[in-house]
Amino acid sequence: MPTPMHQHFKTLGLLALGLLAIPAAWSQTITVDAGKASNSIRPTQALGASVDRLPYGISDQVLAPETVKQVLAAGWQAMTYRQNTELHVEAWHWNPSGAWSDPAGRGYFVGAATPGAEPVQHSYGYPLPRRGVTRDDGTDLIGYSRLTDGDLNSFWKSNPYLSQHFTGEPDALHPQWVVLDLASKQPLTAIRIAWGQPHATRYTVQYWTGDDPIHKPTQGSWQMFPLGDVGAGAGGTDTRRLSREPIAAQWVRVLMSESSNRCEASASHDVRDCLGYAIREISLGTLQEKDGRITQFHDLVRHTPDQDQTATYCSSVDPWHEPSDLDEKAGEQVGFDKFFRSGITRGLPTMISIAMLYNTPEDAVNELRFLEARGYPISYVEMGEEADGHYTPPEDYAALYLQFAKALHQFDPQLKLGGPVFTGQNQDIEVWPDARGDASWTRRFINYLREHGRLDELAFFSFEHYPVDPGKLLWSHLYDEPQWVGHILQVWRDDGVPANVPLFITESNLSSQMSEAYMDIWSGLWLADYAGAFLSAGGDALYFFHALPEAMTRGAHNSMGTFNFFSADANNRIQQPLAQFFASQLVNLEWMQPGDGLHRIYTATSDIQDEAGHQLVSAYPAFRPDGSWSLLIVNKDQENAQSVRIDFQAAAANQHFSGKVSVSTFGRAQYQWHPTADGGHADPDGPIVHSTVNARSDTQFVLPAASITVLRGQLQ
C-alpha cells in the first residue's frame, strides 16, 4: 500500500501528464469561438525559419547533413534567406564574380547573372567607405563616420539614386541630411563644412529643441539658426556664422535640398559620381571676428577615426566601394548554391532578399537572374534590410523601392516584392513630421506608393519581431505578448497597408540580443504564445530566427545565450535541444498537421486570471485538414497547474471534445536550464510527454505549471 508521500509523488506525476481528474469546483473554462475562423493558413507557407549571416568560416559545420537533419526536426517549413550586410552599411557581393563600374576596378559592383562552373559557396560584405553614420544597428562593429574622422581625403556622400536623375522628382522632395550629436548642449554660433563634390547649393542648418531627434523624433522640432539658410552655396571649405548670439544646442542638422550636380571628371565618367551631396569634414563651434573678418574658429567637434568621434547620422550612403573594402572577418552570407543545396529549404520556395539601401537595381536584377537560372524556387523577394534602423526617411525608401521594383519586374513580372523589414517594434514607427504633420513612417511609405500609382508593387508587408528590450526580459512579458503582436498587426492596417496585402514577420525571437533567458523554459512558452497569437490575430507568415546552431556567446548583461534552439560546442556541433526546440515541435508537428493542408484558425478566451488581472492561460484553436480540432494552450503560471474545461461555441450548438484526445505537454517538469559562468546545460531536457484521454463533456484537462499543451481530437 502506498504511503501518503508515495501518493503525493504519484499526484505530481499525474499533474505533469495532465491526466488527473479534478473536482468540478477547481475547474475553469477555455471557450472556443467555433462559429467563425479568424484566419486560415498552410504550414508550408506560414511557419518558417531563417538562415542569417554566419560567423566567418562556420558554414561548412552548420550546414553539414547531420546538423541540417536535426534542425529540420523542429518542424519549421519554408526558409527566409536574411541579407545582413546592409545592417552593417556594407555592399553585398552575393556573387564574388562580377563587374565594377570603373575600369580601374572599383565603383559600383554588379554580380554576374550567369552561374559559373564553380558553385557560389560564400559571399561577403564590403563596408562602405563613404558612410556618414557613427552608430546605428551595425556600424559600431565595422567602422565610423567619415564626417568627423579628421581626414579631409575621406568623405560622406549621399545615395545618387535619390537624386532627380533617378527619382524623376525635384531633389527638394528627397532632401538629404547629416546630424551631429555634441553629447550635451553647447553654445554655438558657427559651422564649418569642408564640402566634397558634388556640394549643396541650397541647404539649411538647424538645431533640435527636444531631447533626442534620432530616438524621440516627435518630442521636439528642428529650428533654423537665424543665419542658417544658405541659398547659393559655393562648395569648398565654408566657415559660416549661424547666429549673432550663442544658441545652446546638442543636436545640429544640415538639410540639403539642391545639389551642384558637378564633380571632377572621373575615369569612368559615371554620372553617379556627380549626383547627391558630399562632405569631407564638418565642425561646429564659435567664431571670433575683427573688423568684419573671421580671425578664429573654435571647434567643439571631436575629429578621430574611431567610435569615439563626435557621433553623426545621415539620411543615406553612396554604395560606391572598392575591392580593398572587403571584410571577411565580419562574417559571411552563405553562398546561394551552398544554401539551396544543403537541404535546409526542404525544396520549398524560399523568401530571398536583395540589397537595396546600398546597392544598384542592376545588381538586384542579376541576383534574380542567377537564382532563376539555377532553378531555385523563390516565393518572395524582400527589398532592403531594416530601413528604420538606418533612419531612412520613408519617402527615400519608397523612391528606391519603386526604382528596384521597376527593374525587377521588367525582368520577371511575376516576382512578389515586399518590405520594408522593420527592426521589430511594438508601436507605430515615428519619424520627423512632414509638412502635413504626419509622423508615421508606414503611412507615409504607403501614401508615396499610392500617390505614384504603384501600390500594387507591394505584394507583402514585412517586419521583424523582437518585442523585449535586451536585458529586460521579465516573466510578466509572457502576459503581454498576445497584445503586443496583435496590436502591431492592427497598427500596420490602420496606417493604410491594404487588407489584401499579407503581413509577414520575417525574423523573430525574444529580443535583439541573446541572453540566458533564451535558454530558459520562459523562451519556449513565449514562442508558442507568440506563434498562436500572431496567427489568431490574422498574421500570414512568421519565421523563427534563426535555424542554424552556433556556439553560445555573451549577450545582454554578459550572460550566455544563443538565438538557436540547440546548444552547441565551440565547433558548432549540436550538444542538446533547448526549450524553443520542443516548443517548435509542439507548434509545427502537434498543433499543426505537417504539410500544405489548409488550417482554419479560431479564437478562444479563458477565465483564468490572477488577482492583478493577468491572463494566465492562452489558447489557440485550429481545425486541421484531417478533420480534428487542435488547441495550443500555454499556462503562464509559474507555480500552479490549472484545471480547465473546453467549450466549443458555435451558432448551432455548443460542443466538446469526445472520445480519444491526444495530449502533448512540455513544461518545467520536462525542462530545467542550469546556467554556468561560461554556458550551462538543461536537465531534464525533454522529451515532450504524450498521452491520451477519453474525453466527455465534463472532462477537465490539467495544464501543468509553466507549460505548453496541445490537445487534439474530435468534437461532439
Side-chain angles (χ1 to χ4, degrees):
M1 177 179 293
T3 66
M5 183 61 71
H6 287 142
Q7 185 62 46
H8 171 72
F9 282 117
K10 179 179 179 181
T11 300
L12 289 178
L14 290 170
L15 278 170
L17 293 173
L19 297 178
L20 189 65
I22 302 295
W26 288 20
S27 182
Q28 299 155 108
T29 304
I30 292 173
T31 303
V32 177
D33 182 359
K36 183 179 180 181
S38 65
N39 198 3
S40 60
I41 61 110
R42 299 181 187 276
T44 52
Q45 300 172 20
L47 296 170
S50 64
V51 169
D52 210 310
R53 192 176 191 172
L54 297 170
Y56 179 74
I58 77 165
S59 61
D60 289 338
Q61 298 170 350
V62 298
L63 285 170
E66 182 56 32
T67 300
V68 170
K69 180 180 178 181
Q70 293 181 72
V71 168
L72 295 182
W76 298 109
Q77 297 294 302
M79 283 286 155
T80 173
Y81 180 102
R82 312 306 296 153
Q83 192 282 108
N84 179 262
T85 57
E86 290 202 333
L87 182 68
H88 299 277
V89 192
E90 298 175 326
W92 176 35
H93 290 208
W94 55 269
N95 187 348
S97 299
W100 295 91
S101 60
D102 190 324
R106 59 186 182 179
Y108 303 91
F109 184 83
V110 176
T114 303
E118 295 296 321
V120 176
Q121 303 277 40
H122 312 280
S123 64
Y124 299 100
Y126 289 66
L128 296 177
R130 297 176 175 179
R131 60 185 175 272
V133 63
T134 304
R135 305 183 190 102
D136 67 0
D137 282 342
T139 49
D140 55 328
L141 301 177
I142 52 88
Y144 48 86
S145 168
R146 304 311 195 198
L147 285 162
T148 55
D149 66 352
D151 184 357
L152 288 174
N153 292 314
S154 69
F155 58 91
W156 162 79
K157 184 173 177 292
S158 65
N159 191 333
Y161 289 93
L162 293 171
S163 68
Q164 183 173 356
H165 181 89
F166 289 103
T167 66
E169 300 177 315
D171 285 351
L173 294 181
H174 296 279
Q176 300 300 291
W177 48 262
V178 297
V179 169
L180 283 79
D181 175 11
L182 295 175
S184 64
K185 285 191 174 183
Q186 300 293 331
L188 302 175
T189 63
I191 188 169
R192 174 179 288 164
I193 303 176
W195 291 99
Q197 293 184 345
H199 65 271
T201 57
R202 176 170 290 280
Y203 64 95
T204 60
V205 184
Q206 306 162 326
Y207 61 94
W208 182 252
T209 63
D211 178 34
D212 183 343
I214 299 299
H215 301 101
K216 301 176 182 178
T218 62
Q219 298 180 28
S221 63
W222 289 109
Q223 298 294 318
M224 188 172 66
F225 283 93
L227 304 176
D229 186 17
V230 180
T237 298
D238 185 9
T239 303
R240 185 173 294 272
R241 180 174 285 280
L242 297 174
S243 65
R244 297 299 175 188
E245 298 297 328
I247 292 177
Q250 175 180 342
W251 299 85
V252 174
R253 180 174 74 167
V254 180
L255 185 69
M256 295 156 275
S257 57
E258 189 175 294
S259 171
S260 65
N261 292 321
R262 294 197 307 271
C263 65
E264 295 176 358
S266 65
S268 65
H269 301 288
D270 193 322
V271 67
R272 292 170 288 191
D273 289 338
C274 301
L275 298 174
Y277 310 91
I279 297 176
R280 296 188 178 278
E281 204 74 9
I282 191 165
S283 300
L284 290 166
T286 57
L287 288 179
Q288 284 187 345
E289 293 179 297
K290 185 176 181 180
D291 300 328
R293 296 178 61 184
I294 297 173
T295 58
Q296 286 186 325
F297 178 88
H298 300 283
D299 192 1
L300 295 172
V301 169
R302 177 173 165 79
H303 303 268
T304 181
D306 56 46
Q307 284 284 303
D308 202 31
Q309 65 186 195
T310 292
T312 71
Y313 302 82
C314 63
S315 53
S316 69
V317 179
D318 187 350
W320 188 101
H321 60 289
E322 50 190 322
S324 61
D325 293 315
L326 171 64
D327 185 6
E328 293 181 350
K329 298 302 182 182
E332 71 165 291
Q333 296 278 157
V334 179
F336 276 135
D337 289 318
K338 179 188 286 284
F339 170 76
F340 278 101
R341 295 174 184 180
S342 69
I344 195 69
T345 70
R346 301 180 187 267
L348 294 170
T350 296
M351 174 184 287
I352 64 100
S353 300
I354 61 158
M356 191 182 78
L357 300 180
Y358 314 119
N359 197 19
T360 69
E362 295 81 6
D363 182 72
V365 169
N366 275 10
E367 180 185 333
L368 270 297
R369 287 186 187 277
F370 177 95
L371 293 170
E372 292 194 12
R374 283 291 201 214
Y376 299 138
I378 304 301
S379 57
Y380 301 95
V381 179
E382 206 166 28
M383 310 275 277
E385 173 71 8
E386 301 184 5
D388 58 323
H390 301 289
Y391 321 115
T392 304
E395 292 79 13
D396 288 2
Y397 177 84
L400 293 173
Y401 187 97
L402 293 185
Q403 290 179 57
F404 280 69
K406 179 179 179 180
L408 287 165
H409 279 150
Q410 284 177 343
F411 159 63
D412 182 351
Q414 303 306 312
L415 291 173
K416 297 178 181 178
L417 314 177
V421 205
F422 285 140
T423 56
Q425 309 294 328
N426 296 330
Q427 301 292 336
D428 200 8
I429 295 169
E430 294 182 328
V431 291
W432 303 320
D434 62 11
R436 294 175 289 191
D438 191 351
S440 169
W441 199 105
T442 300
R443 185 161 50 245
R444 283 164 54 179
F445 166 63
I446 294 296
N447 285 343
Y448 188 97
L449 299 188
R450 182 181 288 111
E451 290 164 3
H452 287 72
R454 307 264 307 271
L455 188 54
D456 59 347
E457 300 274 17
L458 187 69
F460 64 93
F461 187 88
S462 65
F463 56 104
E464 299 173 4
H465 188 60
Y466 294 100
V468 185
D469 290 338
K472 297 183 179 180
L473 298 167
L474 304 174
W475 189 273
S476 62
H477 287 141
L478 289 176
Y479 309 137
D480 299 325
E481 175 57 31
Q483 287 73 40
W484 279 340
V485 74
H487 170 71
I488 201 63
L489 292 177
Q490 189 59 50
V491 165
W492 306 143
R493 295 300 187 199
D494 292 344
D495 282 343
V497 177
N500 66 338
V501 173
L503 301 175
F504 296 163
I505 292 180
T506 52
E507 192 177 303
S508 57
N509 216 311
L510 304 173
S511 181
S512 60
Q513 291 183 29
M514 78 284 285
S515 68
E516 183 186 308
Y518 273 78
M519 329 305 288
D520 190 71
I521 187 65
W522 191 99
S523 69
L525 288 126
W526 173 85
L527 178 59
D529 207 27
Y530 150 62
F534 173 75
L535 295 175
S536 179
D540 295 281
L542 63 88
Y543 294 83
F544 173 87
F545 177 86
H546 80 94
L548 300 181
E550 294 179 28
M552 283 192 288
T553 57
R554 297 196 181 278
H557 301 321
N558 210 35
S559 64
M560 298 293 288
T562 174
F563 284 111
N564 186 250
F565 39 60
F566 292 110
S567 63
D569 63 18
N571 294 314
N572 303 291
R573 291 179 298 229
I574 290 173
Q575 293 183 304
Q576 63 178 157
L578 302 174
Q580 289 192 335
F581 174 81
F582 297 108
S584 298
Q585 288 192 319
L586 284 169
V587 168
N588 296 315
L589 306 179
E590 301 296 337
W591 183 44
M592 296 284 106
Q593 180 181 335
D596 196 42
L598 184 69
H599 291 63
R600 301 191 188 282
I601 310 297
Y602 292 78
T603 60
T605 58
S606 80
D607 56 10
I608 308 168
Q609 298 181 350
D610 66 9
E611 290 184 353
H614 295 129
Q615 199 76 31
L616 296 177
V617 172
S618 300
Y620 305 102
F623 186 71
R624 297 169 23 132
D626 61 7
S628 66
W629 279 87
S630 180
L631 259 70
L632 174 68
I633 308 174
V634 183
N635 180 13
K636 293 170 272 193
D637 191 324
Q638 291 192 74
E639 307 294 338
N640 305 296
Q642 299 292 338
S643 172
V644 297
R645 292 178 60 253
I646 313 294
D647 286 345
F648 291 80
Q649 293 187 351
N654 292 347
Q655 294 180 291
H656 53 82
F657 278 125
S658 179
K660 288 186 177 181
V661 174
S662 68
V663 182
S664 300
T665 298
F666 175 76
R668 180 162 285 162
Q670 289 76 45
Y671 181 91
Q672 289 276 340
W673 180 253
H674 304 278
T676 61
D678 59 355
H681 69 283
D683 182 23
D685 186 30
I688 296 168
V689 177
H690 300 283
S691 60
T692 302
V693 171
N694 284 313
R696 304 178 310 182
S697 60
D698 60 348
T699 297
Q700 300 159 30
F701 299 91
V702 174
L703 313 174
S707 69
I708 310 163
T709 300
V710 174
L711 305 177
R712 192 170 66 248
Q714 305 291 326
L715 302 186
Q716 179 178 326

